[in-house]
Amino acid sequence: MKAFKTCKGIAAPVDRSNVDTDAIIPKYFLNSIKRTGYGKYLFHEWRFLKDGSLNTQFELNKERYKQASILLSRSNFGCGSSREHAPWTLKEFGFQVIIAASFADIFYNNCFKNGLLPIALPEERVEELFRNVREIEGYSLKIDLENKIIMDSTGYSIPFNIEEHRRKHLLQGMDDIALTLQQEDKIALYEYSKRPTYSFML
């Protein structure tokens, strides 16, 4: 997993609460266990009309948000099913950070496993960011994970909280597999100690 230290990019809004994982990646696209190939289906039911054309009213289809790498949303983001495809899809689409008032627990955990940074902020702070995104075209943020702070070019800044072990693992680019491999010698020693022993009677 690639190490995450900072992210600087345009913020795009999805101004909805209770965005569930089936809205993020509809279940009928889940035809593979690979982690790639899903980005084009992000928010498919919202991004496209029934005839397959782009829904120009949906935020992410607007030109000003085309290069966004930071997603801004409301409370309970990522609710619904536990599918890990949701963070895969968001990341492949180009998002590195999701800022919301709150997250569903399983989705929140899955983000860290896939190098995606979810940041939960108080609702009043989220509202401030929505206001800035609406009023300033090309509104950009810098996320500094080392110092746990969100900044913009005007000097506006917001501190955020994150569990220290999650912060450290993202900074080091360590997913669950990499963390397990750090204990490879101890695992091998444990397995060796549990080998069955045989005695033979003549």
Side-chain angles (χ1 to χ4, degrees), residues 131-185:
R131 184 170 61 250
N132 292 343
V133 166
R134 286 192 294 264
E135 294 177 356
I136 305 171
E137 186 162 351
Y139 184 66
S140 179
L141 292 170
K142 180 180 179 181
I143 315 299
D144 181 346
L145 180 58
E146 289 190 286
N147 296 298
K148 297 184 291 186
I149 194 163
I150 302 169
M151 300 168 283
D152 70 11
S153 59
T154 70
Y156 179 81
S157 66
I158 308 171
F160 64 90
N161 294 318
I162 179 174
E163 299 94 329
E164 184 57 24
H165 72 280
R166 296 187 190 276
R167 187 183 77 94
K168 188 181 298 183
H169 294 164
L170 277 180
L171 289 171
Q172 295 173 346
M174 303 288 283
D175 60 11
D176 287 352
I177 294 174
L179 289 168
T180 301
L181 289 175
Q182 285 188 322
Q183 307 300 321
E184 189 172 10
D185 291 344

Side-chain angles (χ1 to χ4, degrees), residues 20-151:
D20 65 43
T21 51
D22 199 54
I24 295 170
I25 174 67
K27 57 183 176 293
Y28 44 82
F29 293 121
L30 306 184
N31 53 12
S32 171
I33 60 171
K34 295 180 179 178
R35 296 189 177 204
T36 58
Y38 299 104
K40 59 188 174 183
Y41 303 125
L42 178 67
F43 298 129
H44 190 271
E45 295 298 314
W46 298 342
R47 288 175 53 228
F48 297 95
L49 301 174
K50 290 184 178 180
D51 63 3
S53 61
L54 281 177
N55 176 8
T56 57
Q57 299 305 307
F58 182 60
E59 297 98 319
L60 299 189
N61 287 336
K62 295 180 180 180
E63 191 63 35
R64 64 190 290 180
Y65 303 125
K66 286 291 178 67
Q67 302 302 317
S69 57
I70 299 166
L71 183 64
L72 181 64
S73 195
R74 299 287 183 177
S75 60
N76 202 28
F77 189 91
C79 58
S81 75
S82 60
R83 68 191 64 163
E84 197 168 0
H85 299 72
W88 296 352
T89 302
L90 286 156
K91 191 170 182 181
E92 188 175 0
F93 192 82
F95 290 113
Q96 299 178 52
V97 178
I98 306 168
I99 300 172
S102 61
F103 294 90
D105 288 343
I106 296 176
F107 174 83
Y108 185 80
N109 291 330
N110 284 339
C111 283
F112 289 103
K113 293 179 181 180
N114 292 280
L116 193 63
L117 175 60
I119 299 175
L121 293 177
E123 289 188 359
E124 60 270 21
R125 290 296 200 179
V126 172
E127 185 57 48
E128 290 172 356
L129 290 173
F130 267 107
R131 184 170 61 250
N132 292 343
V133 166
R134 286 192 294 264
E135 294 177 356
I136 305 171
E137 186 162 351
Y139 184 66
S140 179
L141 292 170
K142 180 180 179 181
I143 315 299
D144 181 346
L145 180 58
E146 289 190 286
N147 296 298
K148 297 184 291 186
I149 194 163
I150 302 169
M151 300 168 283

